[in-house]
């Protein structure tokens, strides 16, 4: 056998498979699928005035892409490139294998890669940036002794994780876990170092991301519409929880609102609670009285919400579980917008502002039909990927207990980050759109390809550990 052939041939095949997957994704989805949120954000990017209902980094990036090529198709191309590059990088850090190439081919053919990577939404941007950030940490661990490469990859990882935190309101959870993962990798290279070094590395990484993210947010706020969107988001969550609680127990007293804001109490009891839907908040908006009663954020609503949490924790947790069950287990997946293709026609004013036209071509129909064929199967089920993540995490911990090597430390960090991010929706979910937990799915898929490259058995793991030191 030619020296190196065992690794070179599978590696070449895996790279070819991922490159073909990326090309197929671009061809299938060009010029990108724009749901209403993306249309609104592209319009903001074109005008340079941002609101903060959605993270403004998305609007800024879309505006930059639109200036290069109208309609911003290059945004989805660059976003997809992050995903496919991260998938290949996480597999190749372990050396590559025939099994990894086969699994990569299956993932590239999955609608969660082939079609979802054409979806212009913050959830896909967040997932791709976070996945690429962990891939950069894995390669920094592999090349740790090469100072220049290590510093470059660490800087890249922190930049990507900062982008992830900017792209999703709860994405900071993953960025912090990425910083902790980096600190653990550093400690394995200096096992006799004091824990103060671990804290210092983690703290420095968090501080660097916080500084970069803070400067970006300051820049966006300088071009904001100065509307209290963040406060409105919190009030929206609070009203949703209160309505759900009253729907479950109509006799539960809204004492704070009854005393200080009877109009809001009347709205929650008479309009919001009857319209409550655990799959999404939209029916409450459609009652027609939301803007009349809740036009501006009211701290009284927050006071009543806290009274629910501390005064009736069982009722609050039951309401939260009902919402989280929908987004995590998707028992009514059709209500959770599993497939979004074309350009949504529902907001003509937004379309004009974005320079787009409504679109539903034959190619869009093919994309939608292909993705829809998998709806209702384990492919479109977050629980599938959660179970896969648990199995892969257990295998990684098993091998780390036998012989530590950096690839699996990063795998552990990636999967814990994905789980923590998904769990955060237990507290904030007000709708069950499938894309919200997309990061959990892609993290599990990427970790599976990496595990296939490293091998599944103890013997293969020891071989991979030896390889990682070369």
């Amino acid at each position: 056998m030619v020296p190196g052939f065992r690794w070179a041939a599978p590696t070449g095949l895996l790279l070819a498979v991922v490159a073909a997957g990326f090309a197929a994704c671009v061809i299938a989805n060009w010029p990108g699928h724009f749901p209403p949120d993306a249309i609104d954000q592209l319009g903001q990017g074109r005008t340079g005035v941002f609101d903060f209902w959605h993270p403004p980094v998305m609007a800024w990036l879309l505006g930059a892409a639109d200036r290069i090529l109208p309609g911003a198709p290059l945004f989805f191309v660059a976003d997809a490139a992050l995903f496919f590059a991260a998938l290949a990088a996480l597999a190749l850090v372990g050396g590559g294998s025939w099994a990894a190439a086969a699994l990569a081919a299956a993932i590239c053919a999955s609608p969660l890669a082939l079609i979802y990577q054409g979806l212009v939404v913050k959830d896909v941007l967040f997932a791709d940036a976070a996945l690429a950030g962990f891939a950069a940490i894995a390669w920094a661990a592999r090349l740790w002794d090469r100072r220049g490469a290590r510093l470059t990859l660490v800087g890249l990882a922190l930049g990507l994780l900062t982008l992830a935190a900017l792209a999703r309101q709860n994405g900071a959870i993953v960025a912090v876990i990425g910083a902790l993962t980096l600190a653990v990798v550093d400690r394995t290279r200096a096992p006799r170092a004091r824990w103060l070094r671990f804290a210092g590395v983690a703290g420095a990484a968090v501080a660097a991301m916080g500084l970069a993210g803070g400067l970006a947010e300051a820049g966006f706020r300088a071009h904001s519409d100065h509307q209290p969107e963040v406060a409105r988001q919190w009030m929206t969550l609070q009203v949703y929880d209160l309505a759900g609680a009253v729907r479950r127990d109509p006799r539960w007293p809204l004492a704070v609102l009854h005393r200080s804001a009877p109009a809001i109490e009347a709205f929650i009891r008479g309009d919001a609670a009857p319209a409550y839907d655990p799959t999404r908040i939209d029916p409450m908006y459609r009652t027609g009285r939301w803007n009349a009663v809740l036009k501006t954020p009211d701290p009284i609503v927050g006071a009543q919400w806290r009274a629910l949490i501390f005064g009736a924790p069982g009722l609050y947790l039951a309401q939260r579980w009902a919402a989280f069950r929908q987004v995590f287990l998707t028992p009514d997946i059709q209500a959770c917008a599993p497939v979004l293709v074309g350009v949504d026609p529902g907001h003509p004013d937004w379309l004009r502002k974005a320079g787009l036209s409504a679109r539903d071509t034959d190619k869009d129909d093919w994309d939608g039909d292909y993705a829809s064929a998998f709806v209702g199967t384990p492919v479109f089920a977050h629980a599938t990927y959660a179970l896969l993540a648990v199995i892969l995490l257990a295998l990684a911990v098993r091998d780390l207990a036998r012989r530590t090597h950096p690839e699996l430390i990063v795998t552990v960090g990636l999967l814990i980050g994905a789980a923590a991010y998904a769990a955060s929706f237990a507290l904030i979910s007000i709708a069950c759109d499938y894309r919200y937990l997309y990061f959990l799915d892609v993290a599990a898929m990427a970790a599976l390809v990496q595990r296939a490259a490293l091998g599944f058995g103890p013997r293969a793991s020891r071989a991979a550990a030896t390889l990682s030191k070369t």
Side-chain angles (χ1 to χ4, degrees):
M1 182 180 289
V2 178
F5 176 80
R6 180 182 177 190
W7 294 104
T11 296
L13 178 60
L14 188 143
L15 286 172
V17 163
V18 174
F22 172 63
C25 174
V26 172
I27 293 169
N29 298 296
W30 183 273
H33 303 299
F34 284 76
D37 290 351
I39 297 168
D40 182 30
Q41 289 164 331
L42 175 55
Q44 293 177 44
R46 286 165 61 93
T47 63
V49 179
F50 310 121
D51 74 36
F52 276 70
W53 185 265
H54 297 286
V57 68
M58 183 83 177
W60 179 73
L61 289 171
L62 282 167
D66 181 75
R67 285 187 283 276
I68 297 172
L69 190 63
L74 295 182
F75 173 90
F76 105 79
V77 174
D79 197 2
L82 268 183
F83 169 76
F84 287 98
L87 182 67
L90 283 168
L92 295 180
V93 75
S97 72
W98 298 113
L103 282 170
I107 289 170
C108 290
S110 161
L112 294 183
L114 180 61
I115 306 302
Y116 252 62
Q117 284 298 318
L119 187 59
V120 181
V121 291
K122 63 186 178 185
D123 309 275
V124 174
L125 174 62
F126 162 75
D128 295 346
L131 190 68
F134 277 93
I137 295 174
W139 273 96
R142 175 74 182 275
L143 303 175
W144 200 263
D145 293 333
R146 302 179 187 179
R147 188 172 185 273
R150 179 180 79 241
L151 294 177
T152 299
L153 287 163
V154 167
L156 177 62
L158 296 180
L160 288 165
L161 291 172
T162 301
L163 174 59
L166 288 169
R168 201 64 175 83
Q169 291 95 326
N170 51 339
I173 296 170
V174 176
V176 171
I177 292 174
L180 294 173
T181 303
L182 181 62
V184 172
V185 170
D186 175 76
R187 185 165 175 78
T188 64
R189 296 297 182 167
R192 296 183 180 180
R194 296 180 181 273
W195 281 101
L196 184 61
R197 172 170 173 155
F198 172 86
V201 171
V206 170
M209 291 187 289
L211 177 61
L215 291 173
E217 284 287 308
F220 296 141
R221 289 196 179 279
H223 298 275
S224 77
D225 60 2
H226 304 293
Q227 295 299 309
E229 299 292 8
V230 175
R232 285 175 177 156
Q233 285 179 327
W234 275 110
M235 186 176 68
T236 298
L237 170 64
Q238 292 159 359
V239 170
Y240 185 71
D241 283 345
L242 292 170
V246 171
R247 180 69 174 264
R248 286 180 169 275
D249 182 3
R251 295 175 299 177
W252 188 72
L254 297 171
V256 177
L257 294 178
H258 184 76
R259 182 173 58 252
S260 303
I264 298 178
E265 181 197 18
F267 169 76
I268 290 175
R269 290 196 182 278
D271 297 84
Y276 172 79
D277 184 342
T279 66
R280 61 187 56 252
I281 196 171
D282 298 55
M284 291 188 198
Y285 291 144
R286 291 195 291 267
T287 61
R289 294 188 60 226
W290 182 288
N291 288 333
V293 179
L294 299 168
K295 186 175 183 180
T296 58
D298 192 330
I300 293 298
V301 177
Q304 182 65 78
W305 181 67
R306 289 188 293 275
L308 169 64
I309 295 172
F310 296 109
L315 186 58
Y316 169 73
L317 291 174
Q319 151 58 18
R320 281 288 91 216
W321 167 246
F324 182 64
R325 176 176 175 270
Q326 295 294 330
V327 74
F328 178 56
L329 298 178
T330 57
D332 182 6
I333 192 169
Q334 293 296 346
C336 301
V339 181
L340 299 168
V341 296
V343 178
D344 189 275
H347 299 272
D349 291 342
W350 289 2
L351 287 168
R352 284 192 294 271
K353 186 177 176 182
L356 295 176
S357 299
R359 192 189 78 226
D360 183 14
T361 64
D362 290 343
K363 186 157 70 74
D364 293 327
D365 290 340
W366 185 92
D367 291 346
D369 291 344
Y370 182 79
S372 296
F374 292 85
V375 173
T377 73
V379 172
F380 262 106
H382 298 306
T384 299
Y385 303 100
L387 177 60
L388 178 60
V390 169
I391 294 170
L392 294 170
L393 189 59
L395 290 174
V397 171
R398 177 202 69 181
D399 293 337
L400 285 171
R402 292 173 175 173
R403 183 168 183 177
T404 299
H405 49 100
E407 296 89 341
L408 293 181
I409 293 173
V410 177
T411 302
V412 169
L414 171 64
L415 294 175
I416 290 176
Y421 172 76
S424 71
F425 282 84
L427 300 177
I428 65 172
S429 178
I430 58 173
C432 69
D433 288 25
Y434 190 86
R435 57 192 169 93
Y436 292 163
L437 301 191
Y438 182 63
F439 178 49
L440 174 64
D441 299 2
V442 298
M445 289 190 288
L448 179 62
V449 175
Q450 186 198 40
R451 168 50 72 172
L454 292 170
F456 289 91
R459 180 179 299 177
S461 294
R462 285 195 294 271
T466 301
L467 178 70
S468 72
K469 296 178 181 297
T470 62

